[in-house]
Each structure stands twice: as structure tokens, then as C-alpha cells.
Amino acid sequence: RWPILRTAPPVSPSARHRSFTFNDHLFVVSLDRESGRLQVFHVADPSAAWDPAFDATLPEELPPPPLEGGEGSGDDGEVAAPMAITRSAKLFFFYSQDRVPHVLA
């Protein structure tokens, strides 16, 4: 029998949480639409602290795409694409046949 999950780190009351497992590890995704804060926490076991694995602030609207050869382009002229989601995005979690989690926004 597993003990009760440790208390989550302080988050806004408007934050919504989703969870998924990968390689027998629990991950919790927190999205606060008011502040735009997207966080992913790794929970090693139910009594462990929630370790931040990823943290980003999402924009209200997507910026225009960068021009080719502009800032953020690599040696081959490819432009590094930012995470193209806004704070109003809906996140859908699913598992492929090989049990790898995926997220669609």
C-alpha cells in the first residue's frame, strides 16, 4: 500500500494539473492559464518532494515566426522553433503502443 502523496508545491488556485507515467515514474503537469506558467514536476515516489523538471511562461498570443537567417538560426539556416503554444492551449496526453507518453496541444 502506497502512502498519501506528499503535499504539492505552492501553486496558484487557478492552476490545473494532469499526470502521466513514464518508466515507472510519475510526472505532474501544472498549467496556470492566468499567469501562463507551465510546470512539469517529477514525483519519484508518493512520499517524495515534487522536483521541478521543466518551467516556462507561456505567452497570451504566439509571436510572428522569425525570418529565415535571422536570430535563432543555426549553421544550416534552420530557425530554432520556440514552443508554439499559448496559455489558452488544451493539452491532451496519450500513450502510443510502446507505452511512451505524448502530449498534443
Side-chain angles (χ1 to χ4, degrees), residues 70-83:
E71 185 178 328
S73 61
D75 294 338
D76 57 2
E78 290 290 319
V79 176
M83 189 167 36

Side-chain angles (χ1 to χ4, degrees), residues 19-28 94-95 99-102:
S19 63
F20 65 92
T21 58
F22 181 65
N23 288 340
D24 295 325
H25 289 263
L26 175 66
F27 292 88
V28 179
F94 67 95
Y95 293 90
R99 297 181 44 171
V100 174
H102 298 273

